[in-house]
Amino acid sequence: MGKSNQQEIVIQTPIPNNSNPIELIQIKYKELEYGFKGWLARQSLPVEAAVVTLTSAAQGAAMGGFMGTITNDMSSSFPAAPPPGAAANPSAMASFQQAQALAGGPLIQARNFAVMTGVNAGISTVMKRLRGKEDVQTSMVAAFGSGVMFSLVSGMGGPNQAANVLSSGVFFALVQGGLFKVGEKFSKPPVEDVMYIETKSMLSSLGLQNYEKNFKKGLLNDSTIPLLTDSALRDVNIPPGPRLVILDHVERSKEVKKGGRRT
């Protein structure tokens, strides 16, 4: 078979002259991050939810493992078996299980944190895709799910297992909901953000929300989205890869509004 006449487009971020190894690593990391986010934004909901859950669980496991090393001394001095008579006392057994779950070593904490962060991120991803927004309801539902799963896998039992699972979910939901509202109160968007509602939504859907400040710096707001060009995006210091993703999205949006199809 003959070679294809279609040219392959290679996306590279310009490497500054005399850059040190740390800068090179940062550039490569950014390229991988933007490429991954752009790819993830184009996937179906099940694929996106699965990938986000697994990656978040891995991050949570790493964090839990680190926390477990801190509490390892505590867990080594903790009795491996419940005290005599605890089996006949539901409250004492529940207290023992809770202390054992919270004072576990690296493996136990890695498991607990992996479940918490993975389930939270997965539910949040599904909710945001279905509802089209991230608000306190999304945050609380995700936290409830992570609280329920944490209670189940950590072995934090009680006289009534179902009630304990439910109370853990409610506790997680209330805490995260409260934190969300506090953060929302202290991070109210500036007045000019009303001009960037569609812009922010576009960048978020493409996994390029880090470039919102670039758009604002160049005064590229909602009214300029249909007019975006490679030159305009380059002027606000957006790298080649994200520029191609943004321009492709704008072109697709134009075709949809015209009622046409791209071939």
Side-chain angles (χ1 to χ4, degrees), residues 12-106:
Q12 291 183 337
T13 302
I15 299 177
N17 295 330
N18 301 323
S19 57
N20 59 47
I22 295 179
E23 290 177 337
L24 293 176
I25 293 174
Q26 290 175 336
I27 290 172
K28 291 299 181 182
Y29 175 78
K30 287 293 184 182
E31 289 179 349
L32 291 174
E33 181 183 11
Y34 298 143
F36 174 74
K37 288 183 177 179
W39 171 83
L40 191 61
R42 297 189 296 270
Q43 304 309 305
S44 63
L45 176 57
V47 172
E48 182 184 11
V51 172
V52 170
T53 299
L54 291 175
T55 54
S56 298
Q59 294 174 352
M63 186 187 346
F66 174 75
M67 295 293 293
T69 59
I70 298 177
T71 61
N72 199 33
D73 292 339
M74 183 188 305
S75 62
S76 62
S77 61
F78 193 82
N89 188 334
S91 298
M93 179 60 72
S95 299
F96 172 78
Q97 291 174 334
Q98 290 171 359
Q100 193 175 47
L102 296 175

Coordinates of all heavy atoms in Angstrom, one line a residue, residues 12-106:
Q12 N 3.4 20.4 19.7 CA 4.5 20.6 20.6 C 4.4 21.9 21.3 O 4.1 22.9 20.6 CB 5.8 20.4 19.9 CG 6.1 19.0 19.4 CD 7.5 18.9 18.8 OE1 8.1 19.9 18.4 NE2 8.1 17.7 18.8
T13 N 4.7 22.0 22.5 CA 4.8 23.2 23.3 C 6.2 23.8 23.1 O 7.1 23.1 23.3 CB 4.5 23.0 24.8 OG1 3.2 22.4 24.9 CG2 4.5 24.4 25.5
P14 N 6.3 25.1 22.7 CA 7.6 25.7 22.5 C 8.4 25.5 23.8 O 8.0 25.8 24.9 CB 7.3 27.1 22.2 CG 5.9 27.1 21.6 CD 5.2 26.0 22.4
I15 N 9.7 25.1 23.6 CA 10.6 24.9 24.7 C 11.5 26.1 24.8 O 12.2 26.5 23.8 CB 11.5 23.7 24.6 CG1 10.5 22.4 24.5 CG2 12.5 23.5 25.7 CD1 11.3 21.1 24.3
P16 N 11.5 26.9 25.9 CA 12.3 28.1 26.0 C 13.8 27.8 26.0 O 14.2 26.7 26.3 CB 11.9 28.6 27.4 CG 11.4 27.5 28.2 CD 10.8 26.6 27.2
N17 N 14.5 28.7 25.4 CA 16.0 28.5 25.3 C 16.6 28.5 26.7 O 16.1 29.2 27.6 CB 16.6 29.7 24.5 CG 16.2 29.6 23.1 OD1 15.9 28.5 22.5 ND2 16.1 30.8 22.4
N18 N 17.7 27.8 26.9 CA 18.4 27.7 28.1 C 17.5 27.3 29.3 O 17.7 27.8 30.4 CB 19.1 29.1 28.5 CG 20.0 29.5 27.4 OD1 20.7 28.7 26.8 ND2 20.0 30.8 27.1
S19 N 16.5 26.5 29.0 CA 15.6 26.0 30.1 C 16.3 25.0 30.9 O 17.1 24.1 30.4 CB 14.3 25.5 29.5 OG 14.6 24.4 28.6
N20 N 16.0 25.0 32.2 CA 16.6 24.0 33.1 C 15.7 22.7 33.1 O 14.6 22.7 32.6 CB 16.8 24.5 34.5 CG 15.5 25.0 35.1 OD1 14.5 24.3 35.0 ND2 15.5 26.2 35.7
P21 N 16.2 21.6 33.6 CA 15.5 20.3 33.6 C 14.1 20.4 34.3 O 13.1 19.8 33.9 CB 16.4 19.4 34.4 CG 17.8 19.9 34.2 CD 17.6 21.4 34.2
I22 N 14.0 21.3 35.3 CA 12.7 21.4 36.0 C 11.7 22.0 35.1 O 10.5 21.6 35.0 CB 12.9 22.2 37.3 CG1 13.8 21.5 38.3 CG2 11.5 22.5 37.9 CD1 14.0 22.2 39.6
E23 N 12.1 23.0 34.3 CA 11.1 23.7 33.4 C 10.7 22.7 32.3 O 9.5 22.7 31.9 CB 11.8 24.9 32.8 CG 12.0 26.1 33.8 CD 12.7 27.2 33.1 OE1 13.4 27.0 32.1 OE2 12.6 28.4 33.6
L24 N 11.6 21.9 31.8 CA 11.3 20.9 30.8 C 10.3 19.9 31.3 O 9.4 19.5 30.6 CB 12.6 20.2 30.4 CG 13.6 21.0 29.6 CD1 14.9 20.2 29.3 CD2 13.0 21.6 28.3
I25 N 10.5 19.5 32.6 CA 9.6 18.5 33.2 C 8.2 19.2 33.3 O 7.1 18.5 33.1 CB 10.1 18.0 34.5 CG1 11.3 17.2 34.3 CG2 9.0 17.2 35.3 CD1 12.0 16.8 35.6
Q26 N 8.1 20.4 33.7 CA 6.9 21.1 33.9 C 6.1 21.3 32.5 O 4.9 21.1 32.5 CB 7.1 22.5 34.5 CG 7.5 22.5 35.9 CD 7.9 23.9 36.5 OE1 8.2 24.8 35.7 NE2 7.8 24.0 37.8
I27 N 6.9 21.6 31.5 CA 6.3 21.7 30.2 C 5.7 20.4 29.7 O 4.6 20.3 29.2 CB 7.3 22.2 29.1 CG1 7.7 23.6 29.4 CG2 6.8 22.1 27.7 CD1 8.9 24.2 28.6
K28 N 6.5 19.3 29.9 CA 6.0 18.0 29.5 C 4.8 17.5 30.3 O 3.8 16.9 29.8 CB 7.1 16.9 29.6 CG 8.3 17.1 28.7 CD 7.8 16.9 27.2 CE 8.9 17.1 26.2 NZ 8.4 17.0 24.8
Y29 N 4.8 17.9 31.6 CA 3.6 17.6 32.4 C 2.4 18.3 32.0 O 1.3 17.7 31.9 CB 4.0 17.9 33.9 CG 2.8 17.7 34.8 CD1 2.5 16.4 35.3 CD2 2.0 18.8 35.2 CE1 1.4 16.2 36.1 CE2 0.9 18.6 36.1 CZ 0.6 17.3 36.5 OH -0.4 17.1 37.4
K30 N 2.6 19.6 31.6 CA 1.4 20.4 31.1 C 0.9 19.8 29.8 O -0.3 19.7 29.6 CB 1.8 21.8 30.9 CG 2.0 22.6 32.2 CD 0.8 22.8 33.0 CE 0.9 23.7 34.2 NZ -0.3 23.8 35.0
E31 N 1.8 19.4 28.9 CA 1.3 18.8 27.7 C 0.5 17.5 27.9 O -0.6 17.3 27.3 CB 2.5 18.5 26.8 CG 3.2 19.7 26.2 CD 4.4 19.3 25.4 OE1 4.8 18.1 25.4 OE2 5.0 20.1 24.7
L32 N 1.0 16.7 28.8 CA 0.2 15.5 29.2 C -1.1 15.8 29.8 O -2.1 15.1 29.5 CB 1.1 14.6 30.1 CG 2.3 13.9 29.5 CD1 3.2 13.2 30.5 CD2 1.9 13.0 28.3
E33 N -1.1 16.8 30.7 CA -2.3 17.1 31.4 C -3.4 17.6 30.5 O -4.5 17.2 30.5 CB -2.0 18.2 32.5 CG -3.2 18.6 33.3 CD -2.9 19.7 34.3 OE1 -1.7 20.3 34.2 OE2 -3.7 20.0 35.2
Y34 N -3.0 18.6 29.6 CA -4.0 19.1 28.7 C -4.5 18.1 27.7 O -5.7 18.0 27.3 CB -3.3 20.3 27.9 CG -2.9 21.4 28.8 CD1 -1.8 22.2 28.5 CD2 -3.7 21.8 29.9 CE1 -1.4 23.2 29.3 CE2 -3.3 22.8 30.7 CZ -2.1 23.6 30.4 OH -1.8 24.6 31.2
G35 N -3.5 17.2 27.2 CA -3.9 16.2 26.3 C -4.9 15.2 27.0 O -5.9 14.8 26.4
F36 N -4.7 14.9 28.2 CA -5.5 13.9 29.0 C -6.9 14.6 29.2 O -7.9 13.9 29.0 CB -4.9 13.5 30.3 CG -5.8 12.7 31.2 CD1 -6.0 11.4 30.9 CD2 -6.4 13.3 32.3 CE1 -6.8 10.6 31.7 CE2 -7.2 12.5 33.1 CZ -7.5 11.2 32.8
K37 N -6.9 15.8 29.6 CA -8.2 16.5 29.9 C -9.0 16.7 28.6 O -10.2 16.5 28.6 CB -8.0 17.9 30.5 CG -7.5 17.8 32.0 CD -7.4 19.1 32.6 CE -7.0 19.0 34.1 NZ -6.8 20.4 34.7
G38 N -8.3 17.0 27.5 CA -9.0 17.1 26.2 C -9.6 15.8 25.8 O -10.7 15.8 25.3
W39 N -8.8 14.7 25.9 CA -9.3 13.4 25.6 C -10.5 13.0 26.4 O -11.5 12.5 25.9 CB -8.2 12.4 25.7 CG -8.7 11.0 25.6 CD1 -8.9 10.3 24.4 CD2 -9.0 10.1 26.6 NE1 -9.3 9.0 24.7 CE2 -9.4 8.8 26.0 CE3 -9.0 10.2 28.0 CZ2 -9.8 7.7 26.8 CZ3 -9.4 9.1 28.8 CH2 -9.8 7.9 28.1
L40 N -10.4 13.2 27.7 CA -11.5 12.8 28.7 C -12.8 13.6 28.4 O -13.9 13.0 28.5 CB -11.0 13.1 30.1 CG -11.9 12.5 31.2 CD1 -11.9 11.0 31.1 CD2 -11.3 13.0 32.6
A41 N -12.7 14.9 28.0 CA -13.9 15.6 27.7 C -14.7 15.1 26.5 O -15.9 15.4 26.4 CB -13.5 17.1 27.5
R42 N -14.0 14.4 25.7 CA -14.7 13.9 24.5 C -15.2 12.4 24.6 O -15.8 11.9 23.7 CB -13.7 13.9 23.3 CG -13.2 15.2 22.9 CD -12.4 15.2 21.6 NE -11.2 14.4 21.7 CZ -10.0 14.9 22.1 NH1 -9.9 16.2 22.4 NH2 -8.9 14.2 22.2
Q43 N -15.0 11.9 25.8 CA -15.5 10.5 26.1 C -16.9 10.4 26.5 O -17.5 11.4 26.9 CB -14.6 9.8 27.1 CG -13.1 9.8 26.8 CD -12.8 9.3 25.4 OE1 -13.2 8.2 25.0 NE2 -12.1 10.1 24.6
S44 N -17.5 9.2 26.4 CA -18.9 9.0 26.9 C -18.9 9.1 28.5 O -17.8 9.0 29.1 CB -19.4 7.7 26.5 OG -18.6 6.6 27.0
L45 N -20.1 9.3 29.0 CA -20.2 9.4 30.5 C -19.6 8.2 31.2 O -18.9 8.4 32.2 CB -21.7 9.6 30.8 CG -22.0 9.7 32.3 CD1 -21.2 10.8 33.0 CD2 -23.5 9.9 32.5
P46 N -19.9 6.9 30.8 CA -19.4 5.8 31.5 C -17.9 5.8 31.5 O -17.2 5.5 32.6 CB -20.0 4.6 30.8 CG -21.2 5.1 30.2 CD -20.9 6.5 29.8
V47 N -17.3 6.1 30.4 CA -15.8 6.1 30.3 C -15.2 7.2 31.2 O -14.3 7.0 31.9 CB -15.3 6.3 28.9 CG1 -13.8 6.5 28.8 CG2 -15.8 5.1 28.0
E48 N -15.8 8.4 31.1 CA -15.3 9.5 31.9 C -15.4 9.2 33.4 O -14.5 9.4 34.2 CB -16.1 10.8 31.6 CG -15.5 12.0 32.4 CD -16.4 13.3 32.1 OE1 -17.4 13.2 31.5 OE2 -15.9 14.3 32.5
A49 N -16.6 8.7 33.8 CA -16.8 8.4 35.2 C -15.8 7.3 35.7 O -15.2 7.4 36.8 CB -18.2 7.9 35.5
A50 N -15.6 6.3 34.9 CA -14.7 5.2 35.3 C -13.2 5.7 35.4 O -12.5 5.4 36.4 CB -14.7 4.1 34.3
V51 N -12.8 6.5 34.4 CA -11.4 7.0 34.5 C -11.2 8.0 35.6 O -10.2 7.9 36.4 CB -11.1 7.7 33.1 CG1 -9.7 8.5 33.2 CG2 -11.1 6.8 32.0
V52 N -12.2 8.9 35.9 CA -12.1 9.8 37.0 C -12.1 9.1 38.3 O -11.3 9.4 39.2 CB -13.2 10.9 36.9 CG1 -13.2 11.7 38.2 CG2 -13.0 11.8 35.7
T53 N -12.9 8.1 38.4 CA -13.0 7.3 39.7 C -11.7 6.6 40.0 O -11.1 6.7 41.1 CB -14.1 6.3 39.6 OG1 -15.4 6.9 39.4 CG2 -14.2 5.4 40.9
L54 N -11.1 6.0 38.9 CA -9.8 5.2 39.1 C -8.7 6.1 39.4 O -7.9 5.9 40.3 CB -9.5 4.4 37.9 CG -10.5 3.2 37.6 CD1 -10.2 2.5 36.3 CD2 -10.4 2.2 38.8
T55 N -8.6 7.2 38.7 CA -7.4 8.2 39.0 C -7.6 8.8 40.3 O -6.6 9.0 41.0 CB -7.4 9.2 37.9 OG1 -8.6 9.9 37.7 CG2 -7.0 8.6 36.5
S56 N -8.8 9.2 40.7 CA -9.0 9.8 42.0 C -8.7 8.8 43.1 O -8.2 9.1 44.2 CB -10.4 10.4 42.1 OG -10.6 11.4 41.2
A57 N -9.1 7.6 42.9 CA -8.9 6.5 43.9 C -7.4 6.3 44.1 O -6.9 6.1 45.2 CB -9.6 5.2 43.5
A58 N -6.6 6.3 43.0 CA -5.2 6.2 43.1 C -4.5 7.3 43.9 O -3.7 7.1 44.7 CB -4.6 6.1 41.7
Q59 N -5.0 8.5 43.6 CA -4.5 9.7 44.4 C -4.9 9.5 45.9 O -4.0 9.8 46.8 CB -5.1 11.0 43.8 CG -4.6 11.3 42.4 CD -5.3 12.5 41.8 OE1 -6.3 13.0 42.4 NE2 -4.9 12.9 40.7
G60 N -6.1 9.1 46.1 CA -6.5 8.9 47.5 C -5.7 7.8 48.2 O -5.4 7.9 49.4
A61 N -5.4 6.8 47.5 CA -4.6 5.7 48.0 C -3.2 6.1 48.4 O -2.7 5.8 49.5 CB -4.5 4.5 47.1
A62 N -2.6 7.0 47.6 CA -1.3 7.5 47.9 C -1.4 8.4 49.1 O -0.5 8.3 50.0 CB -0.8 8.3 46.7
M63 N -2.4 9.2 49.2 CA -2.6 10.1 50.4 C -2.8 9.3 51.6 O -2.2 9.5 52.7 CB -3.7 11.1 50.2 CG -3.8 12.1 51.3 SD -5.3 13.2 51.2 CE -5.9 12.9 49.6
G64 N -3.7 8.2 51.5 CA -4.0 7.4 52.6 C -2.8 6.6 53.1 O -2.5 6.4 54.3
G65 N -2.0 6.1 52.1 CA -0.8 5.4 52.5 C 0.2 6.3 53.3 O 0.8 5.8 54.3
F66 N 0.3 7.5 52.9 CA 1.2 8.5 53.6 C 0.6 8.7 55.0 O 1.4 8.7 56.0 CB 1.3 9.8 52.8 CG 2.1 10.8 53.6 CD1 3.4 10.8 53.7 CD2 1.4 11.9 54.2 CE1 4.1 11.8 54.3 CE2 2.1 12.9 54.9 CZ 3.5 12.8 54.9
M67 N -0.7 8.9 55.1 CA -1.3 9.2 56.4 C -1.1 7.9 57.3 O -0.9 8.0 58.5 CB -2.8 9.5 56.3 CG -3.0 10.8 55.6 SD -2.5 12.2 56.5 CE -3.6 12.1 57.9
G68 N -1.2 6.7 56.7 CA -1.1 5.5 57.4 C 0.3 5.3 58.0 O 0.5 4.7 59.1
T69 N 1.4 5.9 57.3 CA 2.7 5.8 57.9 C 2.8 6.6 59.2 O 3.6 6.3 60.1 CB 3.7 6.2 56.9 OG1 3.5 7.6 56.5 CG2 3.7 5.3 55.7
I70 N 2.0 7.7 59.2 CA 2.1 8.6 60.4 C 1.4 7.9 61.6 O 1.9 8.0 62.7 CB 1.4 9.9 60.1 CG1 2.1 10.7 58.9 CG2 1.3 10.8 61.3 CD1 1.5 12.0 58.5
T71 N 0.3 7.2 61.3 CA -0.4 6.5 62.4 C 0.0 5.1 62.6 O -0.6 4.4 63.4 CB -1.9 6.5 62.0 OG1 -2.2 5.8 60.8 CG2 -2.5 7.9 61.9
N72 N 1.1 4.7 61.9 CA 1.6 3.3 62.0 C 2.0 3.0 63.4 O 1.7 1.9 63.9 CB 2.7 3.1 61.0 CG 2.9 1.6 60.8 OD1 2.0 0.8 60.8 ND2 4.2 1.2 60.6
D73 N 2.7 3.9 64.1 CA 3.1 3.7 65.5 C 1.9 3.4 66.4 O 1.9 2.6 67.3 CB 3.9 4.8 66.0 CG 5.3 4.9 65.3 OD1 5.7 3.9 64.7 OD2 5.8 6.0 65.3
M74 N 0.8 4.2 66.1 CA -0.4 4.1 66.9 C -1.0 2.7 66.7 O -1.5 2.1 67.6 CB -1.4 5.2 66.5 CG -2.7 5.2 67.4 SD -3.9 6.4 66.7 CE -2.9 7.9 66.7
S75 N -1.1 2.3 65.4 CA -1.7 1.0 65.1 C -0.9 -0.2 65.6 O -1.5 -1.2 66.0 CB -1.9 0.9 63.6 OG -0.6 0.9 62.9
S76 N 0.4 0.0 65.7 CA 1.3 -1.1 66.2 C 1.0 -1.3 67.7 O 1.2 -2.5 68.2 CB 2.7 -0.8 66.0 OG 3.1 0.4 66.7
S77 N 0.6 -0.3 68.4 CA 0.4 -0.5 69.9 C -1.1 -0.8 70.1 O -1.5 -1.0 71.3 CB 0.8 0.8 70.6 OG 0.0 1.9 70.1
F78 N -1.9 -0.8 69.0 CA -3.3 -1.0 69.2 C -3.6 -2.6 69.3 O -3.0 -3.3 68.5 CB -4.1 -0.4 68.0 CG -5.6 -0.4 68.2 CD1 -6.1 0.7 69.0 CD2 -6.4 -1.3 67.7 CE1 -7.5 0.7 69.2 CE2 -7.8 -1.3 67.9 CZ -8.3 -0.2 68.6
P79 N -4.4 -3.1 70.2 CA -4.6 -4.5 70.3 C -5.2 -5.1 69.0 O -6.1 -4.5 68.4 CB -5.6 -4.6 71.4 CG -6.2 -3.3 71.6 CD -5.2 -2.3 71.2
A80 N -4.7 -6.2 68.6 CA -5.2 -6.9 67.3 C -6.6 -7.5 67.5 O -7.3 -7.7 66.6 CB -4.2 -8.0 66.9
A81 N -7.0 -7.8 68.8 CA -8.3 -8.3 69.0 C -9.0 -7.5 70.0 O -8.4 -6.7 70.8 CB -8.1 -9.7 69.6
P82 N -10.3 -7.5 70.0 CA -11.1 -6.7 70.9 C -10.9 -7.1 72.3 O -10.6 -8.3 72.6 CB -12.6 -6.9 70.4 CG -12.5 -8.2 69.7 CD -11.2 -8.3 69.0
P83 N -11.2 -6.2 73.3 CA -11.0 -6.6 74.7 C -12.0 -7.7 75.1 O -13.1 -7.8 74.5 CB -11.2 -5.3 75.4 CG -12.0 -4.5 74.4 CD -11.6 -4.8 73.1
P84 N -11.7 -8.4 76.1 CA -12.6 -9.5 76.6 C -14.0 -8.9 76.9 O -14.1 -7.8 77.5 CB -11.9 -10.0 77.9 CG -10.5 -9.7 77.7 CD -10.5 -8.4 76.9
G85 N -15.0 -9.6 76.5 CA -16.4 -9.2 76.7 C -16.9 -8.2 75.8 O -18.1 -7.8 75.8
A86 N -16.1 -7.7 74.8 CA -16.5 -6.7 73.9 C -17.6 -7.3 72.9 O -18.5 -6.6 72.5 CB -15.4 -6.1 73.0
A87 N -17.4 -8.6 72.6 CA -18.4 -9.2 71.7 C -19.8 -9.2 72.2 O -20.8 -9.1 71.4 CB -18.0 -10.6 71.4
A88 N -19.9 -9.2 73.5 CA -21.3 -9.2 74.1 C -21.8 -7.8 74.3 O -22.9 -7.6 74.7 CB -21.2 -9.9 75.5
N89 N -20.9 -6.8 74.1 CA -21.3 -5.4 74.3 C -21.2 -4.7 72.9 O -20.1 -4.3 72.4 CB -20.4 -4.7 75.3 CG -20.8 -3.3 75.6 OD1 -21.5 -2.6 74.8 ND2 -20.4 -2.9 76.8
P90 N -22.3 -4.5 72.2 CA -22.3 -3.9 70.9 C -21.6 -2.5 70.8 O -20.9 -2.2 69.9 CB -23.8 -3.7 70.5 CG -24.5 -4.8 71.3 CD -23.7 -4.8 72.6
S91 N -21.8 -1.7 71.8 CA -21.2 -0.4 71.9 C -19.7 -0.5 72.0 O -19.0 0.3 71.3 CB -21.8 0.5 73.0 OG -23.2 0.7 72.9
A92 N -19.2 -1.4 72.8 CA -17.8 -1.5 73.0 C -17.1 -2.1 71.7 O -16.1 -1.6 71.3 CB -17.5 -2.5 74.1
M93 N -17.8 -3.0 71.0 CA -17.3 -3.5 69.8 C -17.3 -2.5 68.7 O -16.4 -2.4 67.9 CB -18.2 -4.7 69.3 CG -17.8 -5.3 68.0 SD -16.1 -6.0 68.0 CE -16.3 -7.4 69.0
A94 N -18.3 -1.6 68.7 CA -18.4 -0.5 67.7 C -17.2 0.4 67.9 O -16.6 0.9 66.9 CB -19.7 0.2 67.7
S95 N -17.0 0.8 69.1 CA -15.9 1.7 69.5 C -14.5 1.1 69.0 O -13.6 1.8 68.5 CB -15.8 2.0 71.0 OG -17.0 2.6 71.3
F96 N -14.3 -0.2 69.3 CA -13.1 -0.9 68.9 C -12.9 -0.9 67.4 O -11.8 -0.6 66.9 CB -13.1 -2.4 69.4 CG -12.0 -3.2 68.9 CD1 -10.7 -3.1 69.5 CD2 -12.2 -4.1 67.8 CE1 -9.7 -3.9 69.0 CE2 -11.1 -4.8 67.3 CZ -9.9 -4.7 67.9
Q97 N -14.0 -1.2 66.6 CA -13.9 -1.2 65.2 C -13.6 0.2 64.6 O -12.8 0.4 63.7 CB -15.2 -1.7 64.6 CG -15.4 -3.2 64.8 CD -16.8 -3.7 64.4 OE1 -17.7 -2.9 64.3 NE2 -16.8 -5.0 64.1
Q98 N -14.2 1.2 65.2 CA -14.0 2.6 64.7 C -12.5 3.0 65.0 O -11.9 3.6 64.1 CB -14.9 3.5 65.4 CG -16.4 3.4 65.0 CD -17.3 4.2 65.8 OE1 -16.9 4.9 66.7 NE2 -18.6 4.1 65.5
A99 N -12.0 2.7 66.2 CA -10.6 3.1 66.5 C -9.7 2.3 65.6 O -8.7 2.8 65.2 CB -10.4 2.8 68.0
Q100 N -10.0 1.0 65.3 CA -9.1 0.2 64.5 C -9.1 0.8 63.1 O -8.0 0.8 62.4 CB -9.6 -1.2 64.5 CG -8.6 -2.2 63.9 CD -9.2 -3.7 64.0 OE1 -10.3 -3.9 63.7 NE2 -8.3 -4.5 64.5
A101 N -10.2 1.2 62.6 CA -10.3 1.8 61.2 C -9.5 3.1 61.1 O -8.9 3.3 60.1 CB -11.8 2.0 60.8
L102 N -9.6 3.9 62.1 CA -9.0 5.2 62.1 C -7.5 5.1 62.4 O -6.7 6.0 62.1 CB -9.7 6.2 63.0 CG -11.1 6.5 62.7 CD1 -11.7 7.4 63.8 CD2 -11.2 7.2 61.4
A103 N -7.1 4.1 63.1 CA -5.6 4.0 63.5 C -4.9 2.9 62.7 O -3.9 2.4 63.1 CB -5.6 3.7 64.9
G104 N -5.5 2.5 61.5 CA -4.9 1.5 60.7 C -3.6 1.9 60.1 O -3.2 3.1 60.0
G105 N -2.8 0.9 59.6 CA -1.5 1.2 58.9 C -1.7 1.7 57.5 O -2.8 2.0 57.1
P106 N -0.6 1.8 56.8 CA -0.6 2.3 55.4 C -1.6 1.6 54.5 O -2.3 2.3 53.7 CB 0.8 2.1 54.9 CG 1.6 2.1 56.2 CD 0.8 1.5 57.2

